Amino acid sequence: MRLGVLDVGSNTVHLLVVDAHRGAHPTPAHSDKTVLRLAEHVGADGVLSKAGEKGLLAAVRRAREVATEQGCEELLGFVTSAIREASNGAKVLERVVEATGVQLQVLSGEDEARLTFLAVRRWFGWSAGRILVLDIGGGSLELATGIDEDPDVALSVPLGAGRMPRRFLPSAEAGGRPDLAALEELDAHASRLLAPAGRRLAAAGVPDLVVATSKTFRTLARLTGAAPYSAGLRVPRQLTAVGLGQLVGFVSRIDSSALAELNGVSVDRAHQVPAGAVVARAAMRAVDVPLVAICPWALREGVILRRLDGLEGA
């Protein structure tokens, strides 16, 4: 079957099309992305704005049309923290179904952590032993550890790279230089939230491999010298705590608009780099690791793999 997976995240609405069968490699046959920054349309009152809803409807309608053009027999749609936490999220999803016919499943933070962990486990295999996974999304940070395909511990913390600039770094969000005092405040905030998570993960056992995934971690690794993705998915990449600390010092002293000119930084996410770097550093400090391996697979691949496992009565 040809399967379409529609990921409505805090930053983008991303459609992946794969040719699916049980045991298949989830390599996309087609990819289509709309930058929506949905989380930025959720106000202080927790309500997704009319403009945000209109943008979501247009993006989902476009994704459905592309999926039809690509011959998808099934379209799996899911939403993460932006809609999950919006006070009117359920009503918005009802209107999405009415307007587009697309049913979007709400994933919990734990769901995200478990599905991302599955993708990472499949990428690195059983020989990796106990894996610890860190995943910074737009609205939340997911952490998971385990020896099997389903993690022993799966956690979600509201420390997304899209969420934090709005609260702590409005100057960076506007294209300017982040305030140093605000960066320190963000670091302290992240450390407080991550302390209990770090203790739970440590109690589960010492990991043999620590892995980071998501666009944010890939960007940070690229900025600290990792190979570009044009070199291929299977080229080993890593991010060190030392390199990340140096990067935090660098990005705290330049305008986020200037960051967009660097290789590996997308224009639509440049303002998220300082906050993402601080959260990543706090996460690595909380789990006490000197480096992380970068995995190209994450939540979308986990959703695909879980669906493929269900084919043919698996």
Side-chain angles (χ1 to χ4, degrees):
M1 65 183 297
R2 177 157 274 204
L3 173 67
V5 174
L6 181 60
D7 175 1
V8 179
S10 297
N11 285 306
T12 62
V13 176
H14 193 167
L15 172 70
L16 281 181
V17 176
V18 296
D19 291 315
H21 59 84
R22 183 180 171 189
H25 187 287
T27 302
H30 184 81
S31 176
D32 188 86
K33 184 186 297 185
T34 300
V35 177
L36 192 56
R37 293 186 186 173
L38 200 59
E40 297 180 13
H41 291 281
V42 179
D45 57 357
V47 175
L48 178 68
S49 69
K50 288 295 183 181
E53 180 178 341
K54 182 178 179 181
L56 175 61
L57 288 172
V60 172
R61 189 176 291 111
R62 170 183 164 78
R64 184 199 62 191
E65 293 170 353
V66 172
T68 300
E69 292 169 1
Q70 291 293 318
C72 291
E73 301 166 53
E74 183 177 340
L75 180 61
L76 295 177
F78 63 91
V79 299
T80 55
S81 63
I83 295 293
R84 181 173 70 228
E85 297 173 10
S87 59
N88 60 335
K91 292 295 184 182
V92 169
L93 293 182
E94 290 176 6
R95 289 191 285 271
V96 168
V97 174
E98 293 170 2
T100 70
V102 178
Q103 182 80 46
L104 296 172
Q105 178 187 0
V106 179
L107 295 184
S108 69
E110 183 177 321
D111 291 336
E112 289 188 59
R114 290 185 178 281
L115 288 164
T116 300
F117 185 89
L118 171 63
V120 172
R121 167 60 73 190
R122 294 280 177 93
W123 179 267
F124 285 101
W126 294 113
S127 63
R130 174 172 288 278
I131 295 177
L132 169 61
V133 177
L134 310 175
D135 175 14
I136 300 176
S140 57
L141 161 67
E142 275 66 53
L143 311 96
T145 187
I147 195 73
D148 299 317
E149 289 199 333
D150 193 47
D152 303 323
V153 178
L155 306 169
S156 181
V157 184
L159 288 172
R163 181 197 296 264
M164 292 300 98
R166 295 195 303 277
R167 177 172 176 181
F168 291 95
L169 305 172
S171 58
E173 193 171 34
R177 185 175 304 183
D179 179 79
L180 294 180
L183 282 173
E184 292 178 1
E185 185 182 354
L186 170 56
D187 184 77
H189 173 73
S191 296
R192 284 194 300 271
L193 290 187
L194 284 165
R199 289 192 291 270
R200 284 192 61 186
L201 294 164
V206 178
D208 299 296
L209 177 66
V210 183
V211 179
T213 186
S214 75
K215 177 68 172 178
T216 294
F217 269 114
R218 292 197 300 269
T219 298
L220 298 175
R222 179 73 183 96
L223 288 173
T224 57
Y229 268 75
S230 59
L233 291 183
R234 290 175 176 79
V235 174
R237 296 170 177 86
Q238 66 179 28
L239 174 65
T240 68
V242 171
L244 184 54
Q246 293 171 341
L247 180 62
V248 170
F250 170 70
V251 299
S252 67
R253 288 169 171 78
I254 66 172
D255 293 347
S256 59
S257 57
L259 280 173
E261 299 176 12
L262 300 179
N263 290 333
V265 180
S266 59
V267 173
D268 57 289
R269 292 179 186 253
H271 68 287
Q272 299 181 5
V273 171
V278 170
V279 170
R281 184 178 62 176
M284 291 178 66
R285 191 169 59 224
V287 297
D288 192 24
V289 294
L291 61 85
V292 293
I294 302 298
C295 180
W297 283 2
L299 177 59
R300 281 184 294 273
E301 287 77 14
V303 170
I304 294 169
L305 289 165
R306 180 65 74 214
R307 180 66 184 95
L308 299 189
D309 287 349
L311 294 178
E312 302 174 20

